[in-house]
Amino acid sequence: MERIPILRMGNFLLVTIQVDMHDKLALTLQDDLTSKIADVGAKGVLIDISSLEIVDSFIGRTLANIASMARVLDAQTVVVGMQPAVAITLVELGMSLPGIRTALNVESGMQYLHETVTSDRDSEEYDGDSD
Amino acid sequence: MTGTVTKTETLPIKDSSDVVFVRQRVRVWATEMKLSLVDQTKLVTAASELGRNTLEHGGGGQLEISEVVNGLRKGIKLTFSDKGPGIPDIKLALTDGYTSRQGMGLGLGGSKRLMNEFEIQSAPGEGTTVTVIRWK
């Protein structure tokens, strides 16, 4: 069965969507990512959509679902690399992707994840929690 | 929906991989007409939304892609048709947030905003035809 690969890098999961996804493939990615977050205890998810030529309401909703499910599982999600034409179209379509953290490229997305996860850990230590 | 049709292509929409093919063919037509990248993206995105509607709500159908000419203007016309249950209340279906299923409810209203012309013909039991044009 066709699948989008998920790479693990330490506490983070990385996904690069490089194919024109049909709806079932997008749902498979949603399920795979959610399971993987739980399996490996991931703290951050980075989704690179720089190769996507369109994001329609279905893909937008799938990205929003992934971010919500990740949050419930104690992981942060950042979507990176959206093409400007895609951003213009999405907003005109009526989707502004509320609740999804975005970054311009992989580098700033990774930086965001590092900062968020580190600050979470610091505040836990401040509260006196110990693992 | 004025304009003379100069060439057409018809594609079936029977499953979700057909929707992907629809996107690819509409992209090819838009590129050949040299639409700007933003206009191409809008056209392909609307095709994806409307193609999904044809599949999910209409139970499958077809898309006719046409090049239309009106005086000096050229554009791409997309006609999605199905023989599904039809839409009882078109005005309601065009409202953002309205959804008959689990979608976002942006498909019809959103597609209308992405296009220059938008027309919908539907009645309960008689299927649905959505025609849109993006002028160059």
Side-chain angles (χ1 to χ4, degrees):
Chain A
M1 195 181 138
E2 197 182 2
R3 283 203 138 77
I4 292 171
I6 301 170
L7 306 180
R8 183 183 175 187
M9 204 174 102
N11 275 340
F12 301 144
L13 298 178
L14 312 179
V15 178
T16 302
I17 303 173
Q18 287 180 326
V19 292
D20 194 351
M21 289 192 293
H22 54 82
D23 293 358
K24 281 182 200 131
L25 185 57
L27 291 176
T28 307
L29 175 66
Q30 181 181 306
D31 292 351
D32 286 354
L33 251 180
T34 313
S35 314
K36 192 111 178 186
I37 291 167
D39 285 352
V40 305
K43 292 290 170 203
V45 177
L46 182 140
I47 304 173
D48 176 15
I49 59 165
S50 55
S51 305
L52 285 190
E53 291 181 326
I54 66 150
V55 172
D56 63 9
S57 65
F58 190 88
I59 298 172
R61 180 159 54 103
T62 306
L63 292 173
N65 284 351
I66 289 172
S68 307
M69 291 168 189
R71 194 170 306 121
V72 174
L73 295 169
D74 191 27
Q76 302 297 322
T77 303
V78 61
V79 171
V80 308
M82 185 183 291
Q83 296 178 15
V86 173
I88 292 168
T89 304
L90 252 188
V91 171
E92 221 161 296
L93 185 64
M95 281 199 111
S96 47
L97 299 182
I100 298 188
R101 179 74 203 202
T102 56
L104 278 183
N105 52 42
V106 174
E107 196 176 354
S108 42
M110 283 306 285
Q111 195 182 345
Y112 164 75
L113 285 182
H114 277 294
E115 282 165 6
T116 324
V117 170
T118 313
S119 70
D120 278 1
R121 202 179 297 144
D122 289 349
S123 65
E124 275 172 25
E125 279 166 13
Y126 182 78
D127 291 341
D129 288 347
S130 57
D131 292 336
Chain B
M1 292 288 155
T2 48
T4 314
V5 173
T6 46
K7 57 175 179 175
T8 64
E9 175 181 356
T10 305
L11 302 170
I13 301 175
K14 300 283 175 212
D15 59 43
S16 72
S17 58
D18 288 340
V19 178
V20 174
F21 191 61
V22 158
R23 295 202 286 251
Q24 291 166 354
R25 288 306 302 161
V26 171
R27 172 76 66 179
V28 168
W29 279 68
T31 314
E32 280 173 2
M33 191 168 284
K34 298 189 172 65
L35 292 186
S36 72
L37 182 59
V38 171
D39 284 353
Q40 283 181 33
T41 309
K42 287 178 181 176
L43 186 69
V44 176
T45 304
S48 186
E49 298 293 339
L50 297 172
R52 183 178 296 108
N53 280 352
T54 300
L55 180 67
E56 302 280 330
H57 305 298
Q62 65 170 38
L63 163 65
E64 187 183 88
I65 313 172
S66 315
E67 183 184 287
V68 285
V69 180
N70 183 356
L72 292 174
R73 280 200 310 182
K74 271 168 97 178
I76 292 180
K77 177 161 102 170
L78 306 176
T79 308
F80 293 85
S81 50
D82 65 63
K83 295 189 164 45
I87 303 171
D89 187 340
I90 292 174
K91 202 177 163 206
L92 179 65
L94 281 166
T95 314
D96 272 359
Y98 171 78
T99 173
S100 54
R101 290 196 184 173
Q102 72 277 44
M104 295 282 297
L106 293 169
L108 276 182
S111 304
K112 189 177 178 186
R113 282 192 293 277
L114 294 175
M115 294 293 104
N116 299 123
E117 295 189 39
F118 184 99
E119 194 178 88
I120 182 163
Q121 282 179 308
S122 185
E126 286 172 26
T128 302
T129 299
V130 180
T131 309
V132 297
I133 296 182
R134 181 88 213 175
W135 294 106
K136 189 182 175 185

